[in-house]
Amino acid sequence: MMNEQRTTKSGTSAQIRKKGILMLNKDQLNEEEPHFQAERKGDNKLFCTSCSGFYSSKTFYKHNRECNQESKPSGVPVENLSSAPNQLFEADILSRIHNDAIGKVVKNDPTILCIGRRLYDNIKRKVDLEQESRRSVMADMRLLGRLYIAFRDHQPSTSAACLFARNNFETLELAIQEITCNQRQTDREEPIKYGTKYKIYYLLRNSAMILKGTHRSKLNDAAAQEIDYFLEILKLNHSSIFGDATYAINKTRSEKLRTPEQMPEERDVAVLRNHIKHQIQQQTSMSSLTTVNFVNLRNALCARLTLFNGRRGNEASRMTLDHWRDAKSKRWLHDEQIQELDFLETKLVEDHLICFLRGKGGKQVPVLIPSDCRDGMEKLCDPETRRASGVDNNKFLFASTGQSANHVEGWHCIAELCNEAGVADATLLTATKQRHRISTKYAALDLSTADRELFYAHMGHREIVNKNTYQHPLAVKSIVKVGKRLREFDQGKLKMNVSLIVIYQFVFRTRSSICTIQFSTIQFSTSSRNWKCEYWLVISQKLHCIRAFLAHEKCFLCFSE
């Protein structure tokens, strides 16, 4: 009884102490030289987003293990706290931005913070994409910070709001040219960073819309009207400032990235595939996995599913434990449809599992799991293995270790395995290049429209995207099929053919049965009245050839065994 009272009293005292330190540190934020307090002495102090306590950065990892809150604790530098802090934004975004010159501008400029918070509010609802969305917000805020620093070099200013003033548009243009100039240009690189320049336009436009809405909500219509004027000028000058970036990106996408030299060698693909399968088999055969073994197996399985399915770099890596359970229980398969399949198709269904993930643009894309991955996936899901590797509280199947709540990067797994396998050129064996390779090979096949639509649905894009972005031009097929006819046209040898739908029915007797053959779509040349049709068929497990001729309006039937 006494122990319980002491525990309750100790907990109450800790809460009072944390609340007092929080109030003191909030008051210190308004001081020119603040002196922050914490539970323990230390130079750099972090704020725990779960229990609202302050701890030294050197000892925060101990508190991270001991904090008994349901949400995972995150440490926010105390200088990043505001008087009315948005704790999630500060923990997920501000605390992760490097504290360099650009980072200090981003963390202290009110305009960039306002834009960053709104961008974060828009993406934090994407639960499955929280890791990628967080990095997107951080990258956008840092790009605005770079642009603002370049702007200040030409025109002194106290806030990034000057970027969105119409009277400063010429200075803004100079700043854009400065940060998009490739100062470390090599022989293979362009003098301008077209990707960065292309991104700046949409970042400025979206940021201006955010500021406009903020001014409207505060009844500051004059400032909102100024943002409207800025957007008009930005749209008017789009072609003159950003037109070269749009042209260069489209040209690179349609020409450089689709040449055969950008496709990986089939030899390298086979070497990497064999290495990945060997790695999976080797790690799966172990009775228990250490953290190093867990990482090796995780990377191999993530790379295997990404390359096998032609998925984008971070699609398969977002697979959760629930996705694996759905695949293992065959939740997406209909028993009635399986019963209608033939033997080979049934065997194919038995050898593969399937789950569906959220892809680009919110589309639901499938991930096929081949049989050589099943045992390894079971190993990754084992509670004891995950607990020993420090991922027991992580919802992702391909989880990052070290008590992280994130998943691994698919492109990083592939790059690491390429180096281990000794691939000649690892830059040609990426998730994107594999999508180009698969799309090109599939386009060269003679398939029905329905089969092609299934393939486009699997890849998560439309036919026009597959043709104009992913698949390489079918140069050989164009020469063989189209070039042949063009040469005949050029030499005047090709004559027009006429097709008639003529149906003839022949009844003939074999040694075993009476067969009826129906001929249709018999072609003849305009220069000849001889029709010919040939059919091969199997009768009584023997191959027979049926030939029909029509000469001078008389029909002849030739039958041979």
Side-chain angles (χ1 to χ4, degrees):
M1 186 69 178
M2 292 293 294
N3 292 334
E4 292 180 0
Q5 291 178 351
R6 289 177 182 175
T7 303
T8 304
K9 185 179 296 186
S10 176
T12 304
S13 300
Q15 292 178 1
I16 294 174
R17 183 172 64 253
K18 290 178 180 178
K19 186 176 181 180
I21 295 175
L22 176 61
M23 294 176 63
L24 176 63
N25 288 337
K26 283 185 176 180
D27 293 336
Q28 289 294 317
L29 287 171
N30 300 322
E31 301 293 333
E32 294 183 359
E33 297 182 359
H35 298 282
F36 299 108
Q37 301 296 323
E39 299 280 344
R40 297 287 186 271
K41 293 182 179 180
D43 295 333
N44 298 322
K45 300 175 178 61
L46 299 178
F47 171 74
C48 179
T49 58
S50 294
C51 65
S52 299
F54 290 83
Y55 302 89
S56 171
S57 59
K58 294 182 179 180
T59 61
F60 187 80
Y61 74 95
K62 295 182 179 179
H63 173 73
N64 196 0
R65 292 197 303 251
E66 298 171 357
C67 187
N68 58 0
Q69 302 296 322
E70 294 181 359
S71 59
K72 183 175 176 58
S74 298
V76 180
V78 64
E79 59 270 14
N80 292 342
L81 296 177
S82 59
S83 57
N86 183 344
Q87 294 182 359
L88 288 177
F89 174 72
E90 289 162 349
D92 284 351
I93 304 298
L94 295 185
S95 63
R96 300 173 187 269
I97 296 178
H98 294 299
N99 203 27
D100 52 6
I102 300 175
K104 290 179 180 179
V105 170
V106 166
K107 294 176 182 179
N108 294 285
D109 187 87
T111 302
I112 298 179
L113 288 175
C114 174
I115 295 170
R117 284 194 178 94
R118 181 55 63 90
L119 292 174
Y120 178 74
D121 290 339
N122 292 338
I123 60 92
K124 70 181 181 181
R125 298 176 180 85
K126 301 177 181 179
V127 180
D128 295 337
L129 305 175
E130 53 189 6
Q131 184 173 335
E132 294 86 345
S133 301
R134 180 172 60 242
R135 292 180 179 177
S136 175
V137 173
M138 293 167 57
D140 288 345
M141 292 180 67
R142 287 188 64 88
L143 185 54
L144 276 177
R146 289 176 56 198
L147 189 61
Y148 175 49
I149 291 175
F151 182 93
R152 287 191 311 187
D153 294 340
H154 297 280
Q155 179 176 324
S157 176
T158 58
S159 172
C162 62
L163 296 174
F164 306 95
R166 54 175 168 164
N167 56 327
N168 296 332
F169 196 84
E170 292 183 359
T171 308
L172 175 62
E173 186 175 352
L174 293 175
I176 293 173
Q177 293 176 356
E178 181 177 328
I179 68 172
T180 57
C181 178
N182 192 356
Q183 298 177 354
R184 300 179 181 178
Q185 178 188 356
T186 62
D187 294 338
R188 293 185 176 183
E189 295 179 347
E190 298 289 344
I192 299 176
K193 300 176 182 177
Y194 292 116
T196 303
K197 197 171 186 179
Y198 187 81
K199 184 177 180 179
I200 286 176
Y201 169 74
Y202 292 99
L203 179 59
L204 287 174
R205 190 186 67 176
N206 295 338
S207 300
M209 294 299 294
I210 290 173
L211 294 178
K212 176 184 174 181
T214 303
H215 292 319
R216 293 289 189 194
S217 64
K218 295 180 180 180
L219 303 180
N220 193 352
D221 293 337
Q225 185 62 46
E226 284 296 321
I227 297 294
D228 273 334
Y229 293 147
F230 170 81
L231 287 171
E232 290 179 6
I233 298 175
L234 181 66
K235 183 178 180 181
L236 180 65
N237 291 274
H238 173 266
S239 297
S240 60
I241 300 177
F242 305 99
D244 58 343
T246 304
Y247 175 80
I249 290 175
N250 291 334
K251 182 180 179 181
T252 301
R253 182 183 299 165
S254 60
E255 294 181 7
K256 182 179 178 181
L257 297 180
R258 298 173 64 205
T259 56
E261 63 185 17
Q262 295 297 321
M263 284 187 66
E265 296 288 341
E266 292 299 322
R267 179 179 63 257
D268 291 339
V269 175
V271 169
L272 179 60
R273 180 179 63 250
N274 294 335
H275 175 72
I276 291 175
K277 295 177 71 172
H278 173 72
Q279 189 75 265
I280 294 173
Q281 185 178 5
Q282 183 181 18
Q283 303 298 332
T284 306
S285 62
M286 297 182 178
S287 57
S288 60
L289 298 181
T290 63
T291 303
V292 175
N293 299 135
F294 177 87
V295 170
N296 292 335
L297 179 60
R298 176 202 66 190
N299 293 350
L301 287 170
C302 182
R304 171 68 170 153
L305 294 185
T306 301
L307 295 175
F308 179 81
N309 288 275
R311 295 261 63 89
R312 295 179 178 89
N314 264 354
E315 285 181 342
S317 61
R318 289 198 297 264
M319 185 184 296
T320 63
L321 297 173
D322 291 336
H323 288 137
W324 167 244
R325 295 188 189 102
D326 290 344
K328 190 169 62 172
S329 63
K330 299 183 178 181
R331 178 185 178 186
W332 298 98
L333 300 179
H334 297 274
D335 294 336
E336 296 180 357
Q337 295 179 358
I338 296 177
Q339 292 175 0
E340 297 175 357
L341 302 177
D342 58 29
F343 174 77
L344 295 178
E345 293 173 336
T346 304
K347 187 69 170 61
L348 195 62
V349 172
E350 293 175 354
D351 289 343
H352 294 80
L353 299 177
I354 189 171
C355 66
F356 288 85
L357 309 178
R358 178 188 173 92
K360 186 177 180 180
K363 297 178 181 178
Q364 195 179 38
V365 294
V367 173
L368 302 181
I369 304 172
S371 57
D372 54 60
C373 296
R374 291 192 188 184
D375 294 339
M377 304 281 269
E378 289 288 356
K379 281 276 188 180
L380 290 185
C381 293
D382 181 60
E384 291 298 328
T385 301
R386 297 179 72 85
R387 190 177 298 110
S389 302
V391 296
D392 47 323
N393 293 325
N394 195 308
K395 67 179 181 179
F396 294 104
L397 181 64
F398 306 113
S400 298
T401 56
Q403 298 297 334
S404 173
N406 300 326
H407 58 78
V408 296
E409 304 285 349
W411 65 268
H412 178 75
C413 296
I414 296 173
E416 185 174 331
L417 286 163
C418 283
N419 294 330
E420 293 178 4
V423 174
D425 191 354
T427 60
L428 297 181
L429 253 177
T430 62
T432 303
K433 296 297 176 65
Q434 176 72 348
R435 287 175 67 84
H436 284 271
R437 172 177 172 267
I438 292 177
S439 298
T440 302
K441 287 184 171 296
Y442 213 90
L445 301 176
D446 292 327
L447 301 172
S448 64
T449 304
D451 289 343
R452 292 191 182 278
E453 289 298 329
L454 282 174
F455 173 75
Y456 302 143
H458 174 86
M459 300 299 286
H461 55 233
R462 297 173 297 171
E463 179 181 4
I464 189 172
V465 175
N466 194 83
K467 181 180 295 185
N468 297 333
T469 302
Y470 282 106
Q471 75 180 52
H472 297 264
L474 303 177
V476 175
K477 203 169 185 178
S478 297
I479 294 175
V480 174
K481 299 296 183 180
V482 181
K484 175 184 177 181
R485 300 303 179 189
L486 292 177
R487 187 174 65 176
E488 291 176 346
F489 283 140
D490 181 63
Q491 297 175 356
K493 294 181 179 181
L494 187 64
K495 296 182 179 180
M496 185 178 298
N497 287 342
V498 180
S499 296
L500 296 180
I501 306 299
V502 183
I503 298 179
Y504 284 90
Q505 184 168 298
F506 303 98
V507 180
F508 60 94
R509 182 183 298 274
T510 67
R511 295 190 184 97
S512 58
S513 62
I514 296 178
C515 298
T516 302
I517 299 297
Q518 179 172 288
F519 297 95
S520 61
T521 317
I522 304 175
Q523 294 187 350
F524 69 97
S525 174
T526 55
S527 60
S528 174
R529 294 296 297 176
N530 293 329
W531 297 359
K532 179 179 178 181
C533 181
E534 178 176 307
Y535 277 81
W536 291 83
L537 67 155
V538 176
I539 303 175
S540 301
Q541 298 181 351
K542 290 184 178 181
L543 189 63
H544 302 272
C545 178
I546 307 298
R547 295 184 179 90
F549 299 92
L550 184 63
H552 305 292
E553 299 181 355
K554 293 183 180 180
C555 185
F556 302 92
L557 176 64
C558 298
F559 171 72
S560 62
E561 294 189 7

